[in-house]
Amino acid sequence: MRRSILLTPGPTQVPEEVLVAGAMPIMHHRTPQFEAIFAEATKGLQYIFQTAQPVMIFASSGTGALESSVVNLLSPNDKVIVVVGGKFGERWANLCKAFGLNIVQLDIPWDEVVSPALMEKTLKENPDVKAVFTTLSETSTGGVTDIEAISKIVKPTNAILIVDAVSGLGVVDLKTDAWGVDVVVAGSQKGLMLPPGLGFASVSPKAMKMMETSKLPKFYFDWKKALKNLEKNTTPWTPGISLIVQLNVALNLIKEEGLENVFARHIRLSNAIKAGMKALGLQIYNKSTGSACMGVLCPEGIDGEKVVKLARDKFKVTLTGGQDELKGKIFRISTMGNVNENDAILGVAVVERALHELGYSFELGKGVAATLKALV
Ligand SMILES: *Cc1c(COP(=O)(O)O)cnc(C)c1O
């Protein structure tokens, strides 16, 4: 029953050490003992975020932290650029709409990511823009944005750059300080290998200045309260105590492996799976697919939803399907988080079995052979 593998872009597989830590008795959060744990968590997050700036922890899923960045930095009618190249770009746009912002929407074909040239042109045409919202890993398409290049363009302007890195943090490289990214938002259930329930946001001095003039209403997600409490190693409200205990265990696993090695593992595993898909005659959907998640285009006449259903219910590997315009057209495989070589090999084998059962004609084992060759 339990032996089922998640090759999904969140929630991801939680390592045993982290699961066990979640079973510890609850400690009270207004104690020096918990404050020490909280301080360690903040330090660990700064390592993963590659920043010396504060990283706030919220008891919410990733979207709560996304919302917090909108309401704490902006004011009604502020002009913002929102990159929309998939479902999560759409989420940024919907959030900004909900709070009455004046949106310049950059619609990108879903099989591409935003080009630095387009960002430069849009910023030139809109010098009064206060913030640029984009996504590091657009989970719905597999596209990974070149945040370093985008940041170079936004940095000299008055605008701040806010990056949804929920499915990219701890998976693909994001040098928050070195690249000058103002706000990086993440969540617990993706690269950090935790259960869902924590949201994170880092904040640069440039963003903190903007925070001072922000007039949108906020209460639960008030960054000023959060930052003031962070200095005392606590939160304004009851934190997700068990999740933060688990967070430290997960952060230690990442530190032990080394952040660079974690990135390299994701590249190695996703390249091996890509080799397997190619050997089966299948193509990857997004031209800028990185190592977080890939969309695989289904062969003619094969329904991607059926591939996912068979893989999950018969062969015990959870993949994800396409969303909206991609529904049925792609299935997604992710090496995000706690995924090893065996998981990747099994994932390719299960894709083969599902495709075989759905009548796709190919030489059984060809994908697995290519994946194995890529790994040795
Ligand atoms: C998963 C994800 C989110 C956050 O979703 P929640 O369900 O609120 O945790 C946001 N952005 C991206 C790119 C994601 O992959």
Side-chain angles (χ1 to χ4, degrees), residues 9 61-64 66 88 91 135 137 139 164 166-167 189-190:
S61 79
T63 307
L66 295 179
F88 290 99
R91 188 170 298 183
T135 306
S137 156
T139 321
D164 171 352
V166 177
S167 73
Q189 78 275 27
K190 314 245 168 151

Side-chain angles (χ1 to χ4, degrees), residues 19-307:
L19 287 171
V20 168
M24 298 300 276
I26 296 292
M27 63 197 297
H28 197 275
H29 59 293
R30 304 291 180 209
T31 58
Q33 289 78 9
F34 184 73
E35 280 159 22
I37 287 173
F38 194 87
E40 188 187 330
T42 303
K43 266 216 193 100
L45 286 170
Q46 286 171 319
Y47 168 70
I48 309 290
F49 274 70
Q50 303 189 61
T51 185
Q53 299 304 318
V55 182
M56 294 168 280
I57 306 179
F58 303 102
S60 75
S61 79
T63 307
L66 295 179
E67 178 164 327
S68 81
S69 69
V70 173
V71 299
N72 280 283
L73 295 166
L74 296 154
S75 302
N77 296 317
D78 272 353
K79 199 192 240 189
V80 296
I81 293 174
V82 182
V83 177
V84 179
K87 289 300 285 180
F88 290 99
E90 273 177 8
R91 188 170 298 183
W92 267 142
N94 290 334
L95 244 167
C96 290
K97 259 178 228 153
F99 287 99
L101 300 180
N102 175 8
I103 302 170
V104 179
Q105 188 164 321
L106 273 186
D107 283 303
I108 310 297
W110 281 29
D111 59 349
E112 292 176 21
V113 296
V114 65
S115 75
L118 179 62
M119 182 59 73
E120 190 161 27
K121 179 171 167 279
T122 313
L123 268 168
K124 274 210 181 109
E125 288 166 359
N126 299 279
D128 50 342
V129 155
K130 289 273 176 59
V132 173
F133 290 91
T134 189
T135 306
L136 171 61
S137 156
E138 178 43 88
T139 321
S140 62
T141 71
V144 171
T145 304
D146 184 349
I147 297 297
E148 184 178 13
I150 298 294
S151 191
K152 261 190 200 142
I153 293 159
V154 180
K155 210 177 164 186
T157 70
N158 288 326
I160 53 168
L161 177 60
I162 304 175
V163 176
D164 171 352
V166 177
S167 73
L169 189 92
V171 179
V172 297
D173 199 6
L174 175 63
K175 298 192 194 313
T176 302
D177 285 0
W179 297 349
V181 185
D182 294 297
V183 174
V184 173
V185 180
S188 53
Q189 78 275 27
K190 314 245 168 151
L192 285 172
M193 314 181 290
L194 293 165
L198 295 181
F200 312 103
S202 71
V203 51
S204 74
K206 186 177 173 186
M208 278 195 222
K209 242 189 220 156
M210 201 170 279
M211 181 177 82
E212 291 303 324
T213 57
S214 159
K215 291 194 178 60
L216 281 174
K218 53 209 142 252
F219 185 77
Y220 185 76
F221 289 117
D222 190 330
W223 280 9
K224 279 193 193 159
K225 282 197 195 96
L227 289 167
K228 213 167 141 196
N229 279 272
L230 187 55
E231 283 175 19
K232 296 176 283 173
N233 294 314
T234 186
T235 51
W237 329 114
T238 308
I241 297 168
S242 301
L243 283 168
I244 292 170
V245 169
Q246 289 178 288
L247 171 62
N248 283 350
V249 178
L251 288 169
N252 278 331
L253 290 174
I254 293 173
K255 271 188 238 161
E256 272 167 30
E257 187 174 351
L259 198 50
E260 294 302 322
N261 295 329
V262 171
F263 299 148
R265 169 167 53 84
H266 284 90
I267 292 170
R268 187 175 141 74
L269 294 182
S270 55
N271 282 347
I273 295 177
K274 280 177 199 164
M277 295 302 113
K278 199 172 155 207
L280 296 174
L282 304 178
Q283 274 171 0
I284 302 304
Y285 173 68
N286 194 294
K287 296 177 190 80
S288 298
T289 288
S291 49
C293 174
M294 69 187 85
V296 181
L297 280 162
C298 287
E300 274 293 311
I302 304 268
D303 178 358
E305 294 297 294
K306 288 190 181 153
V307 175

